[in-house]
Amino acid sequence: MAGVASTKRGGMSDQRRHRLRLEISREAARLFWEQGVDATSGDQIAEAVGLSTRTIWRHFRSKESCAEPIVTQGVEWEMSMLRSWPPERSLEEHVSVESIRYGREADEARRADDTLAMKMILLADREPAIRTAWLMACDQVEREMTEIIAVRLQLPADDLQVRLHGAAASAALRVINEHIGAALLGGTDPREFADAPERIAHAIRTATGGAVGDPVAP
């Protein structure tokens, strides 16, 4: 117990570390978007956050990896939404209900983070190092999607068909996110994507050949 207490006093809690990494990621993403990755230094990121450069390198292995938390957060809602999918509800209904809830509950800071995530995903098209951050997030989505589908179909997560469905569904989500994000940042009226929940559900259902989407018996 003494060792645990000492760790809490002298170290940094996981929650505090997560908040700090996210704040660093926000500032790094803003700089990457405004002036490009090559023109952004670790010193500039540190100055923007109000930390020492040494602290930045304590939390990130490179300046480009600073983009990872904001990019990952951009897909966390989708994964949380799918994890909460009740068996008696269709995918279309569930995505619609949860999207409305998110639109009602998301605060200004979270919406700003969503925009930054979209910017990093778009930037990833021409910045290989940022592309790595996006593909790492997509890999995590595939792992979680496979687990979600396994539960839904009552099959082991390492079942070949489950893994194929997980890979296909996560790829569909990636394409939808890239498409909608690029369009919105390009000036498309957000009202044109009022049907985004239906697009997401349709993409997953189509990618899995209809195996994932219907309500299932308890």
Side-chain angles (χ1 to χ4, degrees):
M1 293 299 292
V4 173
S6 176
T7 299
K8 288 183 177 179
R9 285 196 301 268
M12 180 181 291
S13 69
D14 288 344
Q15 186 175 24
R16 185 182 171 196
R17 184 179 295 106
H18 173 76
R19 287 198 302 267
L20 180 58
R21 281 174 52 83
L22 186 57
E23 183 55 34
I24 293 170
S25 190
R26 288 187 182 109
E27 296 304 327
R30 290 189 185 105
L31 289 168
F32 291 158
W33 182 254
E34 290 169 4
Q35 60 189 37
V37 176
D38 288 344
T40 300
S41 67
D43 290 340
Q44 287 177 313
I45 296 170
E47 183 179 357
V49 187
L51 297 170
S52 69
T53 305
R54 182 178 179 181
T55 299
I56 300 297
W57 302 141
R58 189 179 302 137
H59 291 277
F60 293 94
R61 65 188 179 276
S62 65
K63 68 177 183 181
E64 295 85 359
S65 68
C66 291
E68 290 170 10
I70 202 72
V71 170
T72 300
Q73 181 171 268
V75 297
E76 281 180 355
W77 175 79
E78 289 173 339
M79 291 299 94
S80 175
M81 176 269 296
L82 289 169
R83 285 193 296 268
S84 69
W85 182 14
E88 69 277 3
R89 184 182 287 175
S90 73
L91 181 58
E92 288 78 5
E93 181 185 2
H94 182 62
V95 176
S96 179
V97 167
E98 293 304 312
S99 295
I100 292 171
R101 187 200 307 275
Y102 182 79
R104 185 174 62 246
E105 296 178 354
D107 59 18
E108 186 176 341
R110 183 56 192 265
R111 293 180 189 278
D113 283 351
D114 289 344
T115 299
L116 276 175
M118 285 192 291
K119 288 178 175 179
M120 291 302 96
I121 292 168
L122 183 59
L123 189 62
D125 275 344
R126 60 180 185 271
E127 293 282 0
I130 303 300
R131 185 71 176 174
T132 298
W134 175 222
L135 293 178
M136 286 177 64
C138 291
D139 180 70
Q140 182 61 33
V141 168
E142 180 177 334
R143 293 172 187 273
E144 294 202 35
M145 183 69 77
T146 299
E147 294 286 346
I148 290 164
I149 291 174
V151 171
R152 193 79 184 177
L153 301 183
Q154 299 182 347
L155 291 170
D158 61 355
D159 179 85
L160 178 58
Q161 199 60 51
V162 168
R163 291 181 62 195
L164 289 171
H165 288 328
S170 62
L173 273 181
R174 175 181 59 78
V175 172
I176 288 288
N177 280 321
E178 291 174 347
H179 173 73
I180 293 178
L184 291 175
L185 292 172
T188 299
D189 190 330
R191 288 175 295 185
E192 292 196 20
F193 293 106
D195 65 341
E198 289 77 11
R199 295 190 192 202
I200 291 171
H202 177 72
I204 292 175
R205 187 184 284 274
T206 301
T208 60
V212 178
D214 290 336
V216 296

